[in-house]
């Protein structure tokens, strides 16, 4: 078996650190999880963390990137696995019920944003990620509209921003009260589609 290069070893270490941090941040919380705990749980020294990430916040951003990609992929799979618009909305409803308000995910996003609120450079990074997430959702919406021959009553970007904003607010509320239904965001999507069908 070929020996790993230094670059490959560094990439593997980084990947393991991000994966471990993700598990700890989601399970225990961002603020209470130290870099020492991340390093020890991953089987590395604290120096290994600092050789990959200058600060805990940099590691936090890497974790958020992974979480966003995972959630975006799971949403796409939940929706695109179906042929009709009604089935796709039902798929979205199931995804929303399972994901919106997930305590670990919601707490991570809120804790990270509030703990870095006085750091303009981190806030800029978060804003950039928000734009990326909105663009990914807008792309998914536009693909749906194109496949179904639907003319959206607003830009896909505006629709994505509205859904994302409602989803974030609903997620925070469901993290506090898991019994709160996701019907508000699902009904909004259904009304949007129904208004297009009628027109």
């Amino acid at each position: 078996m070929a020996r790993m290069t230094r670059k490959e070893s560094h990439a593997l270490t980084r990947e393991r650190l991000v994966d471990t941090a993700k598990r700890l941040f989601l399970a225990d919380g961002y603020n209470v999880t130290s870099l020492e705990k991340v390093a020890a749980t991953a089987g590395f020294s604290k120096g290994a963390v600092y050789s990959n990430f200058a600060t805990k916040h940099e590691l936090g951003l890497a974790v958020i990137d992974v979480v966003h990609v995972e959630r975006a992929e799971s949403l796409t799979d939940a929706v695109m696995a179906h042929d009709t618009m009604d089935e796709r909305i039902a798929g979205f409803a199931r995804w929303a019920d399972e994901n919106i308000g997930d305590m670990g995910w919601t707490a991570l996003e809120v804790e990270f944003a509030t703990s870095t609120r006085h750091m303009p450079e981190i806030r800029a990074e978060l804003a950039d990620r928000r734009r990326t997430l909105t663009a990914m959702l807008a792309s998914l919406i536009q693909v749906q509209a194109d496949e179904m021959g639907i003319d959206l009553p607003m830009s896909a970007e505006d629709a994505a921003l509205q859904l994302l904003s409602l989803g974030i607010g609903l997620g925070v509320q469901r993290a506090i009260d898991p019994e709160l239904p996701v019907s508000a965001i699902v009904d909004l999507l259904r009304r949007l589609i129904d208004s297009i069908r009628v027109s």
Side-chain angles (χ1 to χ4, degrees):
M1 185 173 174
R3 188 174 176 180
M4 279 195 298
T5 66
R6 185 184 180 104
K7 185 176 181 180
E8 289 170 336
S9 177
H10 185 270
L12 188 61
T13 298
R14 181 184 173 89
E15 183 181 341
R16 206 154 101 195
L17 286 169
V18 172
D19 182 64
T20 300
K22 184 187 79 169
R23 285 188 286 109
L24 293 174
F25 290 168
L26 292 176
D28 303 332
Y30 175 76
N31 290 332
V32 300
T33 302
S34 65
L35 289 181
E36 288 88 349
K37 185 172 183 180
V38 172
T41 304
F44 298 114
S45 67
K46 190 176 177 182
V49 179
Y50 282 117
S51 71
N52 284 274
F53 304 97
T55 65
K56 181 181 176 182
H57 300 317
E58 190 176 305
L59 175 58
L61 286 171
V63 168
I64 285 174
D65 286 342
V66 170
V67 172
H68 283 179
V69 168
E70 289 176 348
R71 299 296 165 132
E73 288 177 347
S74 69
L75 173 58
T76 301
D77 291 343
V79 172
M80 298 303 287
H82 307 286
D83 296 324
T84 70
M85 183 57 74
D86 287 337
E87 288 173 335
R88 289 181 179 185
I89 291 175
F92 170 76
R94 286 189 293 272
W95 180 90
D97 191 51
E98 293 170 4
N99 289 273
I100 294 178
D102 174 85
M103 180 59 79
W105 180 22
T106 304
L108 171 60
E109 298 274 2
V110 172
E111 279 187 73
F112 190 83
T114 55
S115 67
T116 59
R117 67 189 182 280
H118 298 305
M119 302 176 182
E121 68 283 2
I122 300 295
R123 285 170 51 207
E125 291 281 352
L126 287 175
D128 184 57
R129 282 157 175 79
R130 194 276 309 159
R131 286 188 287 269
T132 299
L133 199 57
T134 303
M136 289 169 64
L137 183 54
S139 176
L140 179 59
I141 291 170
Q142 192 62 62
V143 166
Q144 305 297 308
D146 292 344
E147 285 191 3
M148 298 295 173
I150 292 172
D151 290 324
L152 295 171
M154 65 186 77
S155 71
E157 290 74 18
D158 284 347
L161 184 57
Q162 287 185 26
L163 286 170
L164 192 58
S165 297
L166 180 56
I168 291 169
L170 187 59
V172 171
Q173 293 184 71
R174 275 172 59 88
I176 298 167
D177 179 9
E179 297 302 314
L180 188 67
V182 296
S183 55
I185 193 168
V186 177
D187 289 347
L188 174 66
L189 193 55
R190 282 202 176 102
R191 283 196 302 272
L192 176 64
I193 299 301
D194 287 343
S195 69
I196 296 168
R197 285 171 173 164
V198 169
S199 59

